[in-house]
Amino acid sequence: MRRPGQWAAPVHEITTGEDGIDASLALVGLRGHLRLLLGPVRANRPWRLVPHLASASAAAAATAAFGLFYSSIWNMADALSEEAVRQATYSRRERERRARDRATTAAQSGRSEYTSRGD
């Protein structure tokens, strides 16, 4: 016999006669389905991600603004001075080269990128 509080519970215990299985739990009804869906979402703690999305949102807004104002990347490059295009290209290539150099140095010295630099 169920207690009065168990009638509304989304979890029901089901006893089985199989060997090695004492009982199973079943999520029933709308509350059970919501609990099944929201449990993993809550465990992932998405609210901790929100502060890190600020820079990604800013980058997306800047990209959207360029997309609105310039019909293509070629038009944007044509609108910018030659020096500005060269500087943007050089900056990206330089960042990629430095990242490769750091990874190569770390691999050769046998330490990871995440070890402290003072050791």
Side-chain angles (χ1 to χ4, degrees):
M1 178 92 186
R2 291 181 189 254
R3 290 179 282 176
Q6 289 181 332
W7 288 106
V11 179
H12 293 271
E13 185 175 343
I14 302 169
T15 56
T16 61
E18 296 180 32
D19 292 335
I21 300 177
D22 295 329
S24 298
L25 297 177
L27 297 172
V28 295
L30 180 61
R31 283 185 57 209
H33 291 293
L34 285 175
R35 184 174 177 178
L36 182 65
L37 176 67
L38 295 177
V41 172
R42 181 174 173 255
N44 284 331
R45 298 181 286 188
W47 54 88
R48 293 181 65 201
L49 182 65
V50 171
H52 301 290
L53 290 177
S55 59
S57 298
T63 304
F66 275 119
L68 289 173
F69 292 117
Y70 298 101
S71 60
S72 73
I73 195 71
W74 299 112
N75 288 342
M76 183 181 74
D78 195 36
L80 294 173
S81 68
E82 185 177 328
E83 182 61 31
V85 174
R86 187 179 303 114
Q87 190 68 301
T89 304
Y90 173 76
S91 297
R92 181 182 57 84
R93 287 182 182 161
E94 186 64 22
R95 283 191 307 269
E96 291 172 354
R97 186 189 63 77
R98 287 181 184 163
R100 278 194 311 270
D101 290 348
R102 279 194 306 270
T104 303
T105 304
Q108 290 172 349
S109 66
R111 63 184 169 93
S112 73
E113 284 288 311
Y114 301 106
T115 57
S116 65
R117 303 256 181 220
D119 292 343

